[in-house]
Amino acid sequence: MISCKCIKHILAFTGEGGLREVWHQLESQIVTVPVEDMGCMLDADTQEDYNRLSDYMESLILS
């Protein structure tokens, strides 16, 4: 989950690296929470990533 406190920082980010780079900048404020859903760990940065995530979500709906 992403805190609403991070939204301004995320939206203002203009550098390379996407959200992963934002996380590096906010590293001291991040808390890792274990989850059982692998969908929480999938990227959606590229079309291929998005397709993988979409396929995963569809598999959950169909099962």
Side-chain angles (χ1 to χ4, degrees):
M1 295 196 312
I2 300 172
S3 171
C4 63
K5 296 176 185 177
C6 298
I7 298 298
K8 287 182 184 178
H9 189 79
I10 293 168
L11 294 176
F13 181 74
T14 59
E16 296 290 322
L19 194 53
R20 191 174 310 272
E21 181 57 32
V22 173
W23 288 163
H24 288 299
Q25 295 176 10
L26 299 173
E27 195 166 12
S28 66
Q29 300 174 46
I30 293 175
V31 176
T32 301
V33 179
V35 295
E36 294 183 20
D37 181 358
M38 80 168 222
C40 294
M41 303 300 292
L42 296 175
D43 276 335
D45 294 334
T46 66
Q47 185 65 48
E48 184 178 316
D49 290 342
Y50 174 79
N51 292 343
R52 187 177 305 113
L53 180 57
S54 180
D55 290 346
Y56 172 73
M57 295 304 294
E58 191 171 320
S59 74
L60 292 178
I61 293 168
L62 297 176
S63 61

